């Protein structure tokens, strides 16, 4: 398991979203939840961009450190 | 359909689902742009008539859910519940249907009349999505109108659906009906019903379980509060996790099931690399990203000022001409002196000083709308985010701040691109510290006399100091006023698309009109006041010795002695800078008998030290009346007055400190 901020380009499953309840709920409302299969299409430095189906979401580096993927 | 012939309709939906396009299709050019009361979020309202029914449409901010986490969400849900729209149109992006359903189910829990505009059907088809509309309509029990809004398809069906919706006595939409936490939710509902007036109790109970601050603040009875807490702890023990994530996940599971039932994916969507992804490889590239952004920034800056300034110059000339001609005309029919001056130097100059900004503002809005609609603005925010974060600001603040080097008026209006109130207001508050081009003549005049050999360096030092102050104050204001409002950077990147020329133009036109109406009033009033101070008392030369403004200048002059320039001409010049900073140089030249004399006269009043101190004052002291006007328009009177106060205090302190400390070394 690795924080999203250190993930390379590739496919992952989201294992856990830390960083407070607000953040997890916000991600869910945007379509991303624990257990989802996602792709990382842009890595650090700078914001990470993940893809799920047709959704593209950019996550700031600080936040990406609280999302764990496998 | 309600009995009255006036329908109030709200349009809601995810960001980038095509809400604005649908809104524009419905209302045509019948739109009014403004702000939601008390906040900086843009509000659009429009009308359309169909089948004899008048419809008022409100475009609500784009949102992902109805929680209380952002001001956009609060505005949307408060409008739905308190303003009582007859119908809610949810614009849903068919390509991301599953995700859109999250918001849809929350809105359905409000037990209102709802229809869905299922937009972007063409894109959905092209990626192999087959949506069973009838099945979806059946399960959710609402009308669904498929559309391709950016090609105008489906608009007639939508208009028809809007006037034909049936006012039903709503079955409560409840996705927790058969869930194990159902009884706990019911328990909370019973406790809170006396306190929740406008919202359905199920909706309120769910929000309270999600720690929604707005709802929690309505429960004033401490005992009820405790009972609610007990139910919460009890249910969290039963389910083994935090209740709010459980609720969100349950909803997520529901919409997933619903999606799987009604949609067939004939292509594996998850594996797709889209055209937008390919473009992003270049535009958000680690190496190319920032240079590309700087290019667009430069393009924006050049367009707003290189194209806007000549047109503004034309408007300026026209109004000067109008002023002269009206003066001659009025004199010819024997009008008294004060009427002539009122018209020429007051009213016409006043209106001219507002309209002169129109070209720059309009072009700025055109460019910004293009950048936003095309989808690039979201990328730009990301490219700049890391850098801006280091100085405590948002990625999207960068462009408005840079525009401030040209002119603060379009720059502050450009902050509309910031979604977060806190970021927007801070960017507005520090914007005047980005030394605008109107202050440059002051630096040029003074450095040309006192710092001839290092003109460039000295002027640069002022710009740099302004930026440093902006960063420092930005952080200070953030801690002082917005400490509890941290927004994590999670932003959706919409697919790139060709912006609609009509939408872009219409938006720019409406927003520029708003500027003329709102900020324009303040600017006009300010100019007239300065005119009064210059003209009165009758008999004194206009703005010369004996006029009111001269008296005011002489009166306040002594307070600048510790800053090194306690002579009254400096104060009068600074006062004129309230109207426009460019006038300061003109004021000096008038007061000292001509611009050519300044070279040998000013050194009799300033030393190099006090001259720099005066430039510091010019850099920091309150912005021109036009800037104050837009601050009031975009952020409210309170913040506008705050800017006036803090800037004059800061300028005064800095100017004095510099002079006094400097004196110790010289």
């Amino acid at each position: 398991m690795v924080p999203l901020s250190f993930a390379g380009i590739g496919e992952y499953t989201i294992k856990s979203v830390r960083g407070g309840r607000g953040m997890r709920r916000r991600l869910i409302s945007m379509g991303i939840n624990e257990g989802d299969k996602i792709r990382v299409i842009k890595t650090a430095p700078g914001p990470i961009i993940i893809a799920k189906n047709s959704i593209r979401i950019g996550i700031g580096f600080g936040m990406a450190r609280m999302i764990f993927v496998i | 359909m309600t009995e009255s012939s006036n329908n109030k309709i709200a349009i809601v939906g995810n960001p980038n689902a095509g809400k604005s396009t649908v809104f524009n299709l419905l209302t045509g050019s019948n739109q009014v742009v403004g702000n939601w009361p008390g906040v900086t979020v843009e509000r659009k309202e429009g009308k359309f008539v169909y089948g004899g029914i008048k419809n008022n449409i409100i475009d609500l901010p784009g949102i992902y859910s109805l929680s209380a986490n952002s001001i956009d969400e609060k505005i949307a849900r408060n409008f739905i519940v308190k303003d009582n729209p007859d119908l809610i149109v949810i614009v849903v992006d068919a390509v991301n249907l599953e995700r859109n359903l999250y918001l849809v189910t929350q809105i359905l829990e409000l037990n209102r009349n709802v229809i869905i505009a299922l937009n972007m059907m063409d894109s959905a088809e092209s990626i192999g999505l087959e949506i069973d509309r009838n099945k979806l309509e059946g399960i959710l029990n609402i009308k669904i109108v498929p559309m391709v809004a950016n090609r105008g398809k489906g608009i007639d069906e939508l208009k028809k659906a809007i006037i034909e919706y049936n006012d039903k006595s709503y079955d409560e939409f409840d996705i927790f009906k058969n869930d194990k936490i159902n009884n706990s939710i019911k328990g909370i509902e019973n406790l809170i019903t006396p306190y929740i007036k406008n919202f359905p109790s199920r909706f309120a109970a769910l929000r309270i379980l999600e720690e929604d601050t707005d709802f929690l603040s309505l429960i004033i009875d401490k005992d009820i509060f405790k009972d609610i807490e007990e139910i919460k702890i009890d249910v969290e023990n039963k389910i083994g996790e935090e209740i709010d994530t459980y609720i969100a996940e349950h909803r997520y599971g529901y919409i997933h099931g619903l999606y799987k039932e009604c949609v067939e994916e004939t292509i594996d969507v998850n594996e797709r690399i889209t055209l937008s992804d390919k473009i992003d490889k270049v535009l958000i590239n680690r190496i190319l990203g920032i240079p590309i952004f700087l290019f667009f920034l430069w393009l924006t800056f050049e367009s707003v000022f290189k194209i806007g300034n000549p047109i503004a110059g034309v408007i300026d000339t026209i109004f000067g001409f109008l002023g002269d001609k009206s003066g001659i005309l009025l004199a010819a029919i024997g009008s008294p002196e004060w009427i002539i001056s009122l018209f020429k130097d007051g009213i016409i100059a006043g209106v001219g000083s507002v309209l002169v900004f129109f070209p720059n503002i309009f072009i700025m809005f055109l460019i910004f709308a293009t950048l936003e609609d095309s989808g690039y603005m979201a990328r730009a925010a990301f490219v700049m985010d890391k850098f801006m974060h280091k100085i405590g600001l948002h990625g999207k603040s960068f462009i408005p701040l840079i525009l401030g080097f040209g002119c603060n008026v379009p720059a502050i209006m450009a902050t509309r691109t910031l979604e977060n109130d806190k970021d927007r207001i801070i960017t507005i508050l520090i914007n005047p510290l980005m030394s605008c081009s109107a202050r440059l003549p002051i630096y040029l005049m003074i450095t040309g006399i006192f710092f001839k050999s290092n003109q460039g360096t000295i002027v640069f030092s002022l710009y740099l100091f302004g930026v440093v102050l902006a960063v420092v104050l930005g952080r200070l204001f953030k801690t002082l006023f917005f400490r509890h409002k941290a927004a994590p950077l999670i932003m959706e990147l919409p697919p790139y698309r060709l912006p609609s020329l009509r939408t872009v133009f219409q938006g720019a036109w409406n927003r520029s009109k708003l500027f003329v109406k709102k900020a324009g009033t303040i600017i006009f009033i300010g100019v007239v006041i300065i005119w009064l101070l210059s003209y009165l008392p009758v008999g004194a030369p206009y703005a010369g010795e004996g006029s009111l403004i001269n008296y005011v200048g002489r009166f306040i002059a002594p307070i600048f002695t510790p800053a090194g320039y306690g002579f009254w001409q400096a104060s009068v010049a600074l006062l004129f800078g309230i109207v426009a900073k460019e006038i300061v140089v003109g004021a000096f030249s008038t007061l000292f008998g001509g611009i050519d004399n300044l070279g040998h006269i000013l050194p009799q009043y300033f030393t190099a030290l006090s001259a720099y101190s005066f430039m510091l004052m010019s850099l920091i002291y309150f912005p021109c009346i036009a800037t104050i006007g837009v601050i009031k328009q975009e952020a409210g009177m309170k913040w506008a007055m705050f800017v006036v106060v803090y800037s004059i205090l800061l300028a005064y302190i800095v100017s004095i400190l510099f002079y006094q400390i400097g004196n110790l070394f010289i």
Side-chain angles (χ1 to χ4, degrees):
Chain A
M1 209 164 66
V2 65
L4 186 60
S5 49
F6 298 124
I9 305 267
E11 294 185 12
Y12 301 87
T13 304
I14 297 186
K15 265 320 200 189
S16 121
V17 176
R18 307 202 184 139
R21 23 183 79 195
M23 177 159 150
R24 177 133 177 238
R25 270 193 289 131
R26 176 155 169 83
L27 278 172
I28 290 180
S29 73
M30 292 173 83
I32 310 282
N33 193 12
E34 285 179 4
D36 282 351
K37 289 210 188 69
I38 59 156
R39 273 181 301 137
V40 170
I41 60 180
K42 183 202 166 288
T43 62
I48 320 286
I49 300 183
I50 61 174
K52 179 189 158 192
N53 296 328
S54 300
I55 301 173
R56 302 288 179 270
I57 293 187
I59 302 180
F61 187 80
M63 289 304 134
R65 279 189 305 179
M66 318 237 212
I67 301 175
F68 290 84
V69 300
I70 199 166
Chain B
M1 185 156 52
T2 51
E3 283 308 309
S4 80
S5 64
N6 254 317
N7 261 346
K8 194 194 307 199
I9 301 170
I11 301 195
V12 74
N14 281 174
N16 307 306
K19 254 182 343 88
S20 300
T21 323
V22 170
F23 180 81
N24 287 336
L25 277 177
L26 288 172
T27 61
S29 46
N30 263 319
Q31 291 180 18
V32 171
V33 162
N35 278 354
W36 289 92
V39 292
T40 64
V41 181
E42 185 173 85
R43 181 187 200 273
K44 282 203 301 208
E45 189 170 345
K47 294 197 210 301
F48 81 94
V49 179
Y50 190 83
I53 315 271
K54 282 188 231 154
N55 301 283
N56 257 22
I57 321 226
I58 311 281
D59 188 13
L60 297 179
I63 51 178
Y64 293 104
S65 80
L66 290 179
S67 72
N69 289 335
S70 80
I71 207 128
D72 287 351
E73 293 170 345
K74 290 198 213 190
I75 288 175
R77 77 180 189 186
N78 284 339
F79 182 84
I80 293 176
V81 161
K82 301 206 178 116
D83 281 66
N84 242 329
D86 299 300
L87 174 67
I88 300 171
V89 174
I90 311 179
V91 178
V92 166
D93 169 9
V95 172
N96 291 310
L97 176 57
E98 185 177 343
R99 191 272 298 281
N100 277 240
L101 286 174
Y102 191 88
L103 176 65
V104 170
T105 56
Q106 284 190 328
I107 294 179
L108 289 176
E109 283 165 4
L110 287 173
N111 298 339
R112 303 263 162 172
N113 295 317
V114 171
I115 63 179
I116 289 183
L118 190 56
N119 196 15
M120 302 179 176
M121 288 298 293
D122 55 344
S123 307
E125 248 179 67
S126 73
I127 60 174
L129 292 179
E130 286 178 11
I131 305 174
D132 188 342
R133 191 240 287 203
N134 291 320
K135 204 166 193 189
L136 197 54
E137 276 187 334
I139 300 180
L140 293 178
N141 195 17
I142 49 180
K143 173 127 183 83
I144 299 181
V145 178
M147 296 185 70
V148 182
N150 61 1
R151 293 214 207 110
K153 291 199 189 151
I155 184 62
D156 286 320
E157 203 191 329
L158 182 64
K159 284 186 178 170
K160 206 155 149 267
I162 288 178
I163 66 169
E164 281 179 1
Y165 74 86
N166 285 316
D167 220 359
K168 10 184 173 194
S169 61
Y170 225 90
D171 265 341
E172 279 208 6
F173 179 81
D174 185 1
I175 62 177
F176 293 94
K177 233 181 330 214
N178 301 316
D179 191 76
K180 53 185 180 246
I181 69 169
N182 187 36
N183 288 326
S184 312
I185 306 178
K186 278 226 172 72
I188 300 210
E189 280 182 65
N190 293 331
L191 287 174
I192 64 175
T193 326
Y195 299 95
I196 310 283
K197 297 297 169 175
N198 298 318
F199 289 83
S201 52
R202 171 125 304 200
F203 183 86
L206 287 172
R207 298 289 89 72
I208 283 181
L209 285 170
E210 287 172 346
E211 313 253 310
D212 186 309
T213 43
D214 276 8
F215 278 99
L216 286 174
S217 64
L218 293 174
I219 313 295
I220 26 190
D221 188 331
K222 285 261 162 79
D223 292 323
I224 305 276
F225 214 84
K226 261 201 305 189
D227 292 336
I228 294 179
E229 274 305 302
E230 271 176 37
I231 297 184
K232 244 185 81 183
I233 294 175
D234 184 59
V235 76
E236 281 182 350
N237 282 331
K238 225 192 303 180
I239 59 179
E241 69 174 303
E242 285 163 353
I243 185 71
D244 63 338
T245 23
Y246 179 86
I247 292 175
E249 287 202 317
H250 184 93
R251 188 181 306 278
Y252 191 82
Y254 174 86
I255 63 182
H256 186 70
L258 180 59
Y259 182 77
K260 279 270 170 280
E261 262 220 60
C262 302
V263 180
E264 200 181 308
E265 288 177 4
T266 60
I267 300 177
D268 187 352
V269 191
N270 217 354
E271 297 293 310
R272 271 174 78 229
I273 302 210
T274 64
L275 177 61
S276 294
D277 292 333
K278 295 192 190 138
I279 298 178
D280 274 335
K281 272 200 149 42
V282 177
L283 292 185
I284 325 190
N285 193 288
R286 212 173 302 184
I287 303 172
L288 292 178
I290 294 195
I292 291 180
F293 168 75
L294 290 178
F295 168 72
F296 280 117
L297 177 66
W298 173 84
L299 206 63
T300 306
F301 201 88
E302 286 289 288
S303 310
V304 172
F305 296 112
K306 282 266 162 63
I307 302 179
N309 284 351
I311 306 178
V314 168
I315 294 182
D316 204 24
T317 312
I318 291 178
F319 273 85
F321 177 79
L322 276 175
D324 289 335
K325 284 297 175 226
S326 71
I328 296 175
L329 210 72
L330 286 171
I333 64 174
S335 317
E337 180 65 42
W338 69 272
I339 294 248
I340 298 180
S341 186
L342 172 65
F343 259 84
K344 190 172 146 195
D345 305 310
I347 296 180
I348 294 184
V351 173
S353 63
V354 174
L355 291 180
V356 79
F357 288 106
F358 194 89
N360 301 89
I361 291 179
F362 183 70
I363 295 178
M364 182 279 296
F365 277 131
L366 276 181
I367 298 182
F368 266 70
T370 309
L371 291 175
E372 292 243 28
D373 274 15
S374 67
Y376 180 70
M377 198 61 103
R379 277 78 177 176
F382 269 112
V383 164
M384 289 317 295
D385 183 68
K386 194 154 188 225
F387 171 73
M388 295 301 280
H389 193 74
K390 289 208 176 99
I391 58 182
L393 293 168
H394 190 277
K396 279 187 169 186
S397 296
F398 193 76
I399 302 188
L401 286 174
I402 296 296
L403 281 182
F405 284 125
C407 172
N408 294 127
V409 174
I412 288 173
M413 300 214 72
T415 59
R416 272 168 185 248
T417 194
L418 288 147
E419 292 123 14
N420 192 316
D421 240 25
K422 159 201 124 199
D423 295 315
R424 190 186 256 166
I425 291 181
I426 292 181
T427 310
I428 290 177
L429 294 181
I430 64 176
N431 208 289
L433 291 166
M434 313 306 274
S435 187
C436 75
S437 58
R439 303 190 200 233
L440 186 57
I442 305 175
Y443 312 150
L444 293 177
M445 171 187 83
I446 292 189
T447 54
I449 299 173
F450 295 94
F451 299 100
K452 266 211 169 88
S453 47
N454 350 23
Q455 236 185 333
T457 316
I458 299 288
V459 174
F460 178 71
S461 73
L462 288 164
Y463 275 87
L464 189 62
F465 187 59
V467 173
V468 168
L469 276 181
V471 172
V472 168
L473 284 177
R475 305 205 88 147
L476 180 67
F477 292 148
K478 192 158 91 156
T479 346
L480 277 181
F481 305 123
F482 301 102
R483 200 179 327 203
H484 51 284
K485 291 197 190 168
L489 186 65
I490 303 176
M491 201 163 36
E492 180 159 16
L493 300 181
Y496 287 108
R497 62 167 188 229
L498 236 49
S500 141
L501 222 61
R502 220 186 78 157
T503 315
V504 164
F505 234 83
Q506 192 156 56
W509 181 254
N510 286 332
R511 292 177 181 132
S512 306
K513 265 200 316 193
L514 182 68
F515 158 77
V516 171
K517 209 174 82 164
K518 297 195 86 185
T521 319
I522 305 255
I523 299 170
F524 182 75
I525 292 176
V527 171
V528 170
I529 292 180
I530 295 279
W531 170 80
L532 269 177
L533 289 175
S534 308
Y535 187 77
L536 297 174
V538 181
Y542 184 75
E545 276 203 48
S547 65
L548 278 183
I549 198 165
N550 202 283
Y551 271 119
V552 175
R554 287 174 192 263
F555 183 72
I556 64 177
I559 62 173
F560 292 118
T561 318
Y565 42 90
F567 52 97
W568 63 269
Q569 293 92 333
S571 302
V572 174
L574 285 174
L575 277 176
F576 273 108
I578 299 177
V579 177
K581 296 287 171 281
E582 301 99 321
I583 300 183
V584 174
V585 175
F588 268 117
S589 102
T590 308
L591 294 170
F592 286 118
I595 199 132
D596 308 301
N597 289 336
L598 291 178
H600 56 263
I601 292 200
L602 285 188
Q604 298 170 24
Y605 290 83
F606 283 113
T607 62
L609 190 69
S610 64
Y612 195 88
S613 169
F614 183 82
M615 287 198 293
L616 284 175
M617 167 65 69
S618 305
L619 166 72
I620 307 170
Y621 91 119
F622 49 66
C624 67
I625 190 82
T627 306
I628 299 176
V630 281
I631 296 180
K632 176 194 177 269
Q633 178 196 323
E634 294 294 301
M637 185 57 116
K638 191 183 86 169
W639 288 116
M641 288 299 103
F642 175 74
V643 170
V644 169
V645 170
Y646 100 70
S647 59
I648 190 66
L649 282 177
L650 183 66
Y652 190 61
I653 294 171
V654 168
S655 184
I656 290 182
L657 272 180
F658 179 81
Y659 185 70
Q660 294 299 325
I661 296 180
N663 255 335
L664 299 174
F665 290 98
I666 295 190

